[in-house]
Amino acid sequence: MSLPKDYRDQRCSLARSLEVLGERWTLLIIRDALYGGRRFSDFVEHLAIPRSVLANRLETLVEHGVLAKVSPSDRGYSEYEITGKGKQLWPAIRVLMSWGDEHYTDGEPPLSFRHVHDGGQINADGICTVCNEPVALADTLATPGATLKPRSDKPGAITGALLQGHRLLEDVRSSAAPAQSSAKS
Ligand SMILES: [Zn+2]
């Protein structure tokens, strides 16, 4: 008897979620979208993912309403925007990253998350260690650790934003041009 290729016969909601999220690369794409990555080319650069695989994963995520494909009128291309449904995945991704930090990084995580208002470290439960409050996704600052290294001399928009510290959900490209606020968008 051959193994089934998917979880369609499973009743557990975890299996249902994994039908959408369980393929290789998918959670990394969602993570990058939560960081504020929006462009196909930026995902390609940051993830070093084959373009055809990325196109396939994006299509699935748009189909399931995790990402929305938008076409800003002032730009000649489409972008991918994380939806409310996609943002709900942040705690799960944060916990998985924290688990990886604990077990696979020798105590030097490449990235840590801080509360934008007081700089407090956000713990695995999503609580700020300074004010003891749960921190909303949009109030989360990704700050680079010593082990965060760009893959090339010319880091792309997502890597560039993370290397200088970046507020989640903000467009990585607006943060790459410091002190220009929102004048261009
Ligand atoms: Zn705080």
Side-chain angles (χ1 to χ4, degrees):
M1 200 179 87
S2 65
L3 281 170
K5 284 205 184 63
D6 53 41
Y7 309 124
R8 256 168 242 170
D9 295 334
Q10 299 279 332
R11 291 222 193 99
C12 173
S13 293
L14 177 59
R16 295 288 185 81
S17 301
L18 288 175
E19 269 294 302
V20 180
L21 306 171
E23 285 186 300
R24 192 175 174 93
W25 299 107
T26 298
L27 282 177
L28 298 179
I29 295 165
I30 295 169
R31 176 205 62 188
D32 279 5
L34 288 164
Y35 285 170
R38 301 171 63 91
R39 288 197 204 178
F40 189 93
S41 57
D42 289 343
F43 294 130
V44 169
E45 192 280 333
H46 191 231
L47 297 169
I49 181 178
R51 300 179 72 89
S52 59
V53 176
L54 177 61
N56 170 281
R57 299 296 185 269
L58 287 171
E59 193 183 324
T60 302
L61 289 171
V62 169
E63 191 182 311
H64 285 276
V66 176
L67 297 178
K69 195 171 182 177
V70 296
S71 303
S73 55
D74 57 335
R75 304 174 203 180
Y77 47 81
S78 299
E79 294 186 338
Y80 295 88
E81 194 170 75
I82 190 90
T83 63
K85 187 176 175 182
K87 289 174 190 170
Q88 289 180 316
L89 292 166
W90 168 238
I93 288 178
R94 198 195 56 238
V95 164
L96 286 173
M97 289 176 78
S98 164
W99 187 78
D101 286 345
E102 181 179 339
H103 297 290
Y104 299 104
T105 63
D106 298 329
E108 280 200 59
L111 212 58
S112 64
F113 297 104
R114 295 181 177 275
H115 193 186
V116 86
H117 299 309
D118 54 28
Q121 191 97 27
I122 298 170
N123 69 18
D125 298 320
I127 306 294
C128 170
T129 48
V130 169
C131 66
N132 282 317
E133 295 289 331
V135 180
L137 169 61
D139 291 333
T140 300
L141 193 67
T143 52
T147 55
L148 183 70
K149 296 274 194 295
R151 203 180 288 117
S152 73
D153 291 344
K154 261 190 77 189
I158 297 174
T159 308
L162 296 176
L163 282 170
Q164 67 180 17
H166 178 72
R167 191 171 184 160
L168 301 196
L169 297 178
E170 278 185 3
D171 189 337
V172 290
R173 285 183 173 266
S174 53
S175 123
Q180 287 205 345
S181 65
S182 56
K184 269 171 76 184
S185 60

